[in-house]
Amino acid sequence: MKETVFKILETICEDNIVRTNPDIDLFETDLMDSLGFAELLADIEDELGVIIAPSEVDRHVISTPNKLIAYLEERASL
Amino acid sequence: MTFYEGYPFFSTLAVILLPAILIGMAGKPLKWYSTAATYLFIGLVFFNKPTQALYLAAYYVIQVAIVMGYLHLRRIKGRIVWMYRLALALSILPLIVSKLALFLDMDLFGFLGISYLTFRCVQIIIEAYDGVIESISVLEFTAFLLFFPSLSSGPIDRSRRFLSDWNTVYTREEYMELAGTGIYKILLGLIYKLVIASFFYQGMGMVNGAKDWYYVIAYAYCYGFYLFFDFAGYSLMAIGTSYILGIRTPENFRRPFLSIDIKEFWDRWHITLSHWFRDFLFSRFMIQSIRKKRFQNRLNAASAGFLVNMFVMGLWHGLTPSYILYGLYHGALLAVTERWQKKSAFYKTHKSKRWYRFASWFITLQLVMLGFYIFDGKLLWLLGF
């Protein structure tokens, strides 16, 4: 799962910093905007089969690559 | 009585909030008291507006039926698209009827707050379809829908966030902090609205009606600052009142005139509105567009998304040429900004430099002020329409 998330993020953010610094804040650094966020949700559903509604989670819960991975792992374990 | 205006409102508010502060400081639940306060204020504000009161009552009954009915169907029948669309359409219908009636110089379903209440009902229906909300009691729905501090003009809260606060019993220390912040926000809001907004309003009056370019610019600036201090002042008072009742209503403004580009502006101006549209319209339109491959590339998709999003926001303000133009204007600005930031090598080389940031801020401010000038109906007036 981790690898898939990194790949998705690298494509959307067009920057491998998401892999080298997985604690970077995606929204504050402008790596991800509202358009990128929509792509992220679509990709997560397609590749991981996890449906996250756009209003479901507060952005600060999944604002870094590590936080996003932790959130997805928790969802998968339910 | 009018919300956040005049001596009768503020003196009643002070009398009503005092017991709330005592209850909160005693570490007791506030939800029953805040619900009672809501009924009292609705009664006082709509007392001398019987037609509006009737529409509000009818609206409330209709929305309870739609929201409760849909939640029930969603639980027993699952995600069925036509049921979802029907519930959505029915829930938005009163708002559409009221706006169309206004357009035809009639009064149907026109009551204070209908535009804002619609967001709250629609949010619950969409999240029910998503499976994020499974159930809500009539009592909770009522508390959320009619919560008096933000009834007339927002901020637009979300039901899950609101209800988690509503059901919270704060400790004495937590509540003291909340109430202190609340009082500070109300006082700051008063200064914004009564002192600063009034000052700019006077300025508008001095140059209103003149068509010389320098008067036009002076008017646009005065109106822009008036609009901000008036609306941000109202929002602060609504948020402050909510805090004292134990509800941490989200912020609506965050120094919008410091924005460096238009995208940032919409993250700082009328935030609860733009974030609502982002979560319930823009994101969903984008995800669907990606799925159905509606557009050749992501830039075209984004441009269409921004235009649709802001067009609907314009319509929501009212069915007038100026509001619609305002929406399309901001949609176009967002689309152009997106293109510039994704495509331009110049932007990528210079975006972090001081002079670029300054120039970008300056241009953004002018575009924002022009937007307000359109919003106020003045641009079409100036052009002779």
Side-chain angles (χ1 to χ4, degrees):
Chain A
M1 171 182 289
K2 215 169 173 166
E3 184 52 32
T4 319
V5 174
F6 278 134
K7 271 189 184 149
I8 294 172
L9 286 174
E10 271 179 336
T11 318
I12 294 172
C13 305
E14 294 169 344
D15 200 326
N16 71 349
I17 192 163
V18 294
R19 194 187 287 269
T20 51
N21 179 10
D23 285 314
I24 192 165
D25 191 299
L26 300 167
F27 300 104
E28 271 174 24
T29 50
D30 279 336
L31 281 164
M32 187 170 292
D33 52 19
S34 41
L35 177 64
F37 190 66
E39 290 178 306
L40 176 68
L41 298 185
D43 288 349
I44 286 174
E45 185 177 340
D46 289 346
E47 309 212 2
L48 297 168
V50 180
I51 304 176
I52 307 175
S55 61
E56 187 170 352
V57 277
D58 253 347
R59 293 197 178 189
H60 68 81
V61 178
I62 50 173
S63 57
T64 72
N66 274 342
K67 280 185 182 175
L68 175 63
I69 290 163
Y71 174 79
L72 287 168
E73 278 170 350
E74 200 193 312
R75 281 275 294 251
S77 69
L78 288 177
Chain B
M1 189 184 280
T2 312
F3 281 119
Y4 304 101
E5 269 175 39
Y7 181 71
F9 176 81
F10 286 112
S11 46
T12 314
L13 186 66
V15 171
I16 294 300
L17 289 184
L18 216 61
I21 293 174
L22 295 178
I23 295 170
M25 278 172 58
K28 296 273 193 292
L30 279 155
K31 61 180 180 181
W32 306 119
Y33 186 79
S34 70
T35 305
T38 281
Y39 288 123
L40 179 77
F41 269 104
I42 289 179
L44 288 171
V45 168
F46 287 93
F47 178 68
N48 55 356
K49 310 175 186 82
T51 322
Q52 287 202 32
L54 222 64
Y55 283 140
L56 173 64
Y59 181 85
Y60 168 72
V61 172
I62 292 171
Q63 296 294 350
V64 167
I66 298 169
V67 168
M68 293 301 149
Y70 181 67
L71 276 164
H72 178 71
L73 285 173
R74 173 68 179 81
R75 278 194 301 271
I76 57 170
K77 301 271 186 189
R79 265 165 87 107
I80 296 176
V81 178
W82 72 264
M83 282 183 184
Y84 165 60
R85 293 205 176 133
L86 183 67
L88 262 187
L90 288 175
S91 184
I92 303 171
L93 192 63
L95 179 68
I96 295 176
V97 168
S98 82
K99 300 258 175 204
L100 277 175
L102 214 61
F103 182 67
L104 300 169
D105 265 338
M106 286 161 29
D107 176 24
L108 250 178
F109 264 117
F111 66 87
L112 180 74
I114 183 172
S115 301
Y116 286 89
L117 297 195
T118 303
F119 285 121
R120 303 182 193 181
C121 302
V122 168
Q123 172 247 307
I124 296 175
I125 293 171
I126 296 180
E127 292 199 326
Y129 176 74
D130 286 343
V132 175
I133 296 178
E134 281 178 14
S135 68
I136 187 169
S137 71
V138 176
L139 211 70
E140 287 177 325
F141 176 66
T142 309
F144 170 61
L145 183 70
L146 300 178
F147 187 58
F148 86 90
S150 54
L151 179 83
S152 60
S153 311
I156 306 154
D157 207 347
R158 307 282 174 90
S159 64
R160 286 179 295 137
R161 208 214 62 72
F162 175 91
L163 291 171
S164 105
D165 279 359
W166 193 68
N167 285 313
T168 298
V169 181
Y170 299 97
T171 65
R172 183 187 164 88
E173 286 68 31
E174 285 169 344
Y175 181 76
M176 297 274 272
E177 174 136 11
L178 211 57
T181 315
I183 292 168
Y184 169 74
K185 282 178 189 290
I186 293 176
L187 294 177
L188 188 63
L190 276 170
I191 295 173
Y192 269 36
K193 203 170 150 74
L194 296 182
V195 182
I196 312 179
S198 305
F199 171 77
F200 284 109
Y201 191 76
Q202 303 248 320
M204 281 160 62
M206 284 157 72
V207 291
N208 193 11
K211 292 192 175 182
D212 311 82
W213 64 270
Y214 42 90
Y215 283 137
V216 165
I217 292 175
Y219 181 89
Y221 267 83
C222 283
Y223 177 71
F225 285 117
Y226 159 75
L227 196 63
F228 169 71
F229 284 106
D230 188 68
F231 197 15
Y234 157 82
S235 298
L236 277 168
M237 290 191 277
I239 296 165
T241 307
S242 312
Y243 271 48
I244 295 174
L245 294 169
I247 306 290
R248 288 165 296 175
T249 296
E251 295 294 330
N252 229 3
F253 294 91
R254 212 159 40 87
R255 302 178 180 181
F257 298 125
L258 296 184
S259 311
I260 288 202
D261 60 48
I262 292 288
K263 285 163 79 178
E264 192 185 342
F265 173 73
W266 282 108
D267 226 14
R268 293 170 170 276
W269 175 269
H270 206 171
I271 302 166
T272 58
L273 176 77
S274 60
H275 284 187
W276 195 98
F277 272 104
R278 178 194 73 193
D279 288 351
F280 295 104
L281 184 65
F282 180 80
S283 299
R284 285 155 209 270
F285 178 85
M286 295 315 298
I287 291 172
Q288 276 196 5
S289 298
I290 294 166
R291 285 278 137 69
K292 296 185 178 164
K293 301 201 164 50
R294 276 193 202 132
F295 302 96
Q296 285 172 343
N297 57 55
R298 59 180 272 177
L299 266 180
N300 286 355
S303 304
F306 286 131
L307 275 170
V308 168
N309 196 52
M310 299 313 276
F311 175 66
V312 176
M313 193 194 280
L315 286 179
W316 170 82
H317 277 104
L319 304 181
T320 72
S322 287
Y323 288 144
I324 294 168
L325 185 64
Y326 173 75
L328 290 174
Y329 169 77
H330 269 287
L333 285 182
L334 286 166
V336 169
T337 306
E338 183 70 28
R339 248 161 230 275
W340 169 252
Q341 295 184 348
K342 289 278 149 65
K343 286 273 181 190
S344 156
F346 184 86
Y347 170 76
K348 283 176 184 153
T349 342
H350 297 292
K351 67 173 175 183
S352 309
K353 294 191 177 139
R354 258 184 111 104
W355 67 265
Y356 180 86
R357 292 172 65 81
F358 179 80
S360 185
W361 163 78
F362 184 77
I363 294 168
T364 303
L365 185 63
Q366 312 317 311
L367 293 172
V368 162
M369 289 298 175
L370 176 59
F372 291 144
Y373 198 67
I374 299 171
F375 185 77
D376 193 28
K378 288 291 183 186
L379 185 73
L380 292 179
W381 162 79
L382 190 68
L383 297 174
F385 287 101

